[in-house]
Amino acid sequence: MKKRFLAIAIASGLASPFAANADATVYGIVHMTVGMVDTGTGGTDNWQVDSVASRLGFKGSEDLGNGMTATYKLEYGVDPDAGGPGQVSGGTTGLSRRNQYVGLKGGFGEVRVGRHDTPLKMSQGKFGQFNDTRGDIRNVGAADLRVDNAIAYINKFTDEFTFAIALVPGEGDGVTAGDGPADTISAAGMYASGPLYVALAMDTYDDTGNSGLNASGMGVLVDSTTRLTVTYKMGKMQFGFLMENQTGITGQPDLDGMGFSFGMGMGKNKAKFQYLTGEIDNNGGDTTNLSVGYDWGLSKRTTAYVQYTTSETEVGSTTTAEMDFMGVGLKHKF
């Protein structure tokens, strides 16, 4: 009897910390690919195993009464293939930071403070058919940012319309970097009604000290970005259109980007296509990225797929970078 009582007491003691945090949710994605990567003349031409934005997260909330709720999220990028030569997730330590914040939610909307996707990044919605892979829109210089020091406000004013804004202090000296409460600002309005989704978003970046956002892979300092995203569902099909303009700081060129996406459900499976292009205005430089793929829905949480992506960057008539990827992937959510 004493041994049984002791076992119950120990079990209760172990369980109590988890009971106290019953609202906490542990979640994540393990996403791996195996494929052939060819980066052109003088580059790699080999088989690679990559982790594709695999992640582990903790999120939850607490009811504070009077219609108020405390919210939080701590999400980390994990890399089962850390240190690989072709990793897509970008880390070599196996651990990186994703969205991490604490917030307050009520009738006024929700305020979040910490590391957060910009509203412009959020406004992409479900346009991307190849998110996080080599077919991601980031690979043509699109301004999909996750920023530190974010003070974000999100409110769903109606069932159809959501507004989000983030203020980002530069935490600088006012000379080489901004010292105000909103040196970078990102805002987005998102409308969803039935099969139609439309979003308009804009970022303005801290350009103190004649610097600004360095457009990914394009080598241009950017003062602001404007993006329009439209998706439309027609039965099992979804069509997507994205247009983006990045305005260079004084003395820097503008960048224009455009994308088209298509997905068609086939039972639990899906065929998908995406074409992206980015162009620098004054020197004829442009990047194109084309992806096709097919997903097999093995369960609600597990997907296997095949993907082909080809991309090329040119300046004038000279090819400065190219890449072809053909491979298979496996993604499991938990």
Side-chain angles (χ1 to χ4, degrees):
M1 178 65 72
K2 289 183 179 180
K3 290 182 179 180
R4 182 180 179 185
F5 177 79
L6 180 61
I8 294 173
I10 292 173
S12 299
L14 290 173
S16 59
F18 296 97
N21 295 282
D23 288 336
T25 300
V26 180
Y27 67 95
I29 300 174
V30 182
H31 185 177
M32 302 295 295
T33 63
V34 179
M36 169 64 76
V37 180
D38 184 354
T39 56
T41 304
T44 60
D45 182 4
N46 55 29
W47 284 85
Q48 297 182 8
V49 176
D50 290 311
S51 172
V52 185
S54 298
R55 67 200 69 170
L56 173 66
F58 309 87
K59 63 182 179 180
S61 62
E62 180 186 11
D63 186 353
L64 303 177
N66 299 316
M68 295 279 288
T69 303
T71 62
Y72 69 90
K73 176 184 282 189
L74 293 171
E75 186 173 289
Y76 296 88
V78 296
D79 197 343
D81 190 47
Q87 56 193 355
V88 177
S89 54
T92 57
T93 64
L95 192 66
S96 60
R97 295 182 303 128
R98 294 176 60 87
N99 284 349
Q100 301 183 347
Y101 60 81
V102 65
L104 283 175
K105 186 176 182 180
F108 56 86
E110 183 175 1
V111 176
R112 299 172 178 175
V113 181
R115 180 170 172 83
H116 203 281
D117 290 346
T118 63
L120 185 140
K121 181 178 188 296
M122 295 165 59
S123 74
Q124 180 191 155
K126 296 183 179 180
F127 167 85
Q129 296 289 342
F130 296 88
N131 285 345
D132 299 322
T133 73
R134 291 174 170 85
D136 194 287
I137 67 173
R138 294 172 302 170
N139 296 319
V140 293
D144 264 21
L145 303 177
R146 181 177 296 119
V147 296
D148 290 324
N149 312 322
I151 306 165
Y153 169 72
I154 304 168
N155 195 352
K156 190 169 184 177
F157 287 99
T158 68
D159 290 340
E160 295 83 16
F161 181 72
T162 300
F163 175 76
I165 187 169
L167 311 180
V168 185
E171 296 189 347
D173 57 8
V175 178
T176 58
D179 58 2
D183 297 300
T184 291
I185 302 174
S186 178
M190 295 160 278
Y191 175 83
S193 179
L196 178 66
Y197 172 83
V198 180
L200 182 63
M202 183 174 184
D203 284 2
T204 60
Y205 308 109
D206 179 17
D207 59 1
T208 307
N210 199 35
S211 63
L213 168 72
N214 189 353
S216 173
M218 304 293 274
V220 175
L221 296 177
V222 177
D223 178 68
S224 65
T225 300
T226 303
R227 174 183 292 176
L228 171 68
T229 307
V230 180
T231 60
Y232 188 81
K233 292 182 179 179
M234 185 182 298
K236 297 291 185 179
M237 298 182 292
Q238 177 183 287
F239 302 86
F241 171 74
L242 183 148
M243 183 170 62
E244 180 173 295
N245 171 262
Q246 299 184 23
T247 303
I249 66 172
T250 303
Q252 295 280 322
D254 295 348
L255 291 87
D256 295 303
M258 187 175 296
F260 302 92
S261 66
F262 173 77
M264 182 169 65
M266 300 176 177
K268 295 181 179 180
N269 307 329
K270 183 169 75 168
K272 52 190 186 180
F273 164 88
Q274 188 165 282
Y275 175 76
L276 309 166
T277 179
E279 181 178 351
I280 300 176
D281 283 354
N282 70 346
N283 70 352
D286 68 88
T287 296
T288 58
N289 185 292
L290 171 68
S291 297
V292 293
Y294 190 85
D295 293 353
W296 287 273
L298 305 180
S299 72
K300 289 184 178 180
R301 298 185 296 173
T302 304
T303 302
Y305 64 88
V306 60
Q307 176 182 337
Y308 172 71
T309 295
T310 180
S311 65
E312 184 177 67
T313 299
E314 294 183 339
V315 178
S317 59
T318 303
T319 299
T320 59
E322 57 185 325
M323 185 279 302
D324 291 291
F325 168 78
M326 180 68 189
V328 296
L330 183 64
K331 178 167 61 176
H332 177 75
K333 299 179 180 180
F334 60 91

